[in-house]
Amino acid sequence: MQSNVPQKITIHEVVLRDGIQSEKKLVSTKEKVTLTNDLIKCGIRRIELSSFVNPRLVPQMADTDELWGTIDRKKGIVYAALILSEKGLDRAIQCKVPHVGIYVSASETHSRKNSNMSVAEAVKEARRLISKARGAGMEVRAGVMNAFGCAYEGNVASGRVLTLVRDFMKREPDEICLADTSGMANPLQVKKTVKRVQDIVGAVPISLHLHNTRGLGLANVWAAVTEGIAIFDTSLGGLGGCPFIPGARGNIATEDTVNMLHESGIKTGIDLDKLIDTSLCFEQYMGQTFPAAVLHLRPSS
Ligand code: ZN
């Protein structure tokens, strides 16, 4: 194995945010709490619970504040949320959220559709939000959406991504995230972009948020792993997709990612068998067949 391949990978589970945000069936607060606790029992150590958005735009997130009040926070677990505005950040501060993700899109068109702001305006806003969140004692992940291409604009020049990362770094985030929001990344591009971003961020960890829209999700994980990336956003069952991206498809599946890493001798701390049980339960609750590949392969299922 190549020397810069990490021995252990951290899974940042996003089923309760990206995973269900576009699902028509509303997941009850009780089910969200149950699923969170079950995922932790499987060995998940980082979990994104929700986004603080306008519930009229994303009805699935209408119970976000209630959920944060209900969840029993266990030691050693990173509970995270996505923030899109100052109003959302204020709610998150109120809910004592310990870890927030703040993103700017590298695509002008997506930025306007997602946040009603130009990229320049969104950068200004993100600077303020990062400083305020840090001031409130939160850990901050600063992310670039559409870092590898955009469903509206096609190619996104990597220079735009690097400029955003450099800007973020001035605000001293705890982590930099590169998001393939439209699922357009390819493995070679992932390697090249990751290397350039590593040169900018130094010791600050980089996480990757990948979608399997074009079937390249796991290939992209592996490309990043060989460059030393050790944090990946994944979604149980492979659910997910941005409501503001046409044809958006699922995030990379947690089960498939864990399976690939374990088969390759990389630890995740996750019990795959338990994870599959949890996913099958949630699949039943949602009343649909999840796209994750290893989910239905077990002889017992
Ligand atoms: Zn996503």
Side-chain angles (χ1 to χ4, degrees):
M1 199 176 282
Q2 279 175 272
S3 59
N4 45 352
V5 172
Q7 290 187 336
K8 188 168 181 197
I9 299 280
T10 299
I11 293 293
H12 179 104
E13 173 61 55
V14 297
V15 66
L16 285 166
R17 202 274 299 163
D18 212 353
I20 57 170
Q21 68 184 1
S22 302
E23 291 292 327
K24 283 200 181 67
K25 179 179 166 122
L26 293 182
V27 180
S28 70
T29 310
K30 189 169 170 256
E31 178 66 19
K32 288 179 183 178
V33 172
T34 303
L35 183 56
T36 300
N37 291 333
D38 286 351
L39 286 165
I40 290 166
K41 280 181 203 149
C42 296
I44 300 274
R45 288 292 169 266
R46 280 177 61 149
I47 184 157
E48 198 161 302
L49 285 183
S50 59
S51 52
F52 285 87
V53 280
N54 184 341
R56 270 182 292 126
L57 296 178
V58 189
Q60 191 69 267
M61 299 296 150
D63 65 345
T64 289
D65 306 71
E66 189 192 342
L67 177 64
W68 280 93
T70 312
I71 210 90
D72 174 28
R73 301 178 197 194
K74 294 181 173 58
K75 239 183 132 185
I77 308 296
V78 176
Y79 297 92
L82 181 73
I83 302 298
L84 293 159
S85 66
E86 183 156 24
K87 214 172 154 190
L89 177 58
D90 288 340
R91 284 168 58 201
I93 292 171
Q94 201 77 38
C95 292
K96 297 191 166 54
V97 173
H99 183 111
V100 290
I102 296 167
Y103 291 80
V104 173
S105 184
S107 146
E108 203 60 56
T109 315
H110 178 249
S111 182
R112 286 181 190 279
K113 286 190 189 283
N114 193 59
S115 67
N116 221 1
M117 285 184 271
S118 68
V119 173
E121 287 164 342
V123 166
K124 252 180 147 176
E125 177 76 350
R127 283 178 195 153
R128 266 182 355 99
L129 296 185
I130 293 170
S131 301
K132 188 168 178 178
R134 282 181 56 83
M138 292 166 153
E139 274 188 21
V140 178
R141 160 197 270 200
V144 181
M145 286 186 278
N146 282 312
F148 302 96
C150 170
Y152 298 105
E153 295 187 2
N155 200 26
V156 167
S158 63
R160 282 156 74 177
V161 178
L162 304 183
T163 303
L164 288 174
V165 170
R166 277 191 204 99
D167 198 282
F168 285 149
M169 288 305 291
K170 289 182 196 152
R171 268 78 201 167
E172 300 180 355
D174 299 280
E175 181 180 321
I176 289 287
C177 178
L178 302 175
D180 186 20
T181 317
S182 301
M184 293 175 78
N186 68 67
L188 188 62
Q189 179 194 21
V190 166
K191 281 176 90 73
K192 284 182 182 168
T193 306
V194 159
K195 272 186 187 166
R196 287 180 187 144
V197 173
Q198 281 168 333
D199 286 343
I200 297 170
V201 306
V204 173
I206 301 169
S207 51
L208 246 60
H209 176 100
L210 300 167
H211 280 260
N212 200 33
T213 316
R214 288 164 181 77
L216 291 177
L218 288 188
N220 291 333
V221 171
W222 191 252
V225 164
T226 59
E227 295 302 331
I229 299 297
I231 308 168
F232 290 91
D233 289 9
T234 65
S235 176
L236 192 71
L239 280 181
C242 174
F244 307 105
I245 298 276
R249 288 223 352 243
N251 291 71
I252 48 170
T254 309
E255 302 90 311
D256 295 343
T257 308
V258 168
N259 179 61
M260 179 183 78
L261 295 171
H262 288 185
E263 290 292 316
S264 309
I266 299 170
K267 293 186 176 73
T268 64
I270 292 167
D271 181 330
L272 182 58
D273 226 35
K274 262 193 197 167
L275 188 71
I276 288 175
D277 286 338
T278 302
S279 192
L280 289 171
C281 270
F282 191 53
E283 189 179 49
Q284 214 165 23
Y285 177 88
M286 293 303 284
Q288 57 172 283
T289 304
F290 291 166
V294 297
L295 183 57
H296 307 107
L297 291 177
R298 251 194 343 204
S300 58
S301 60

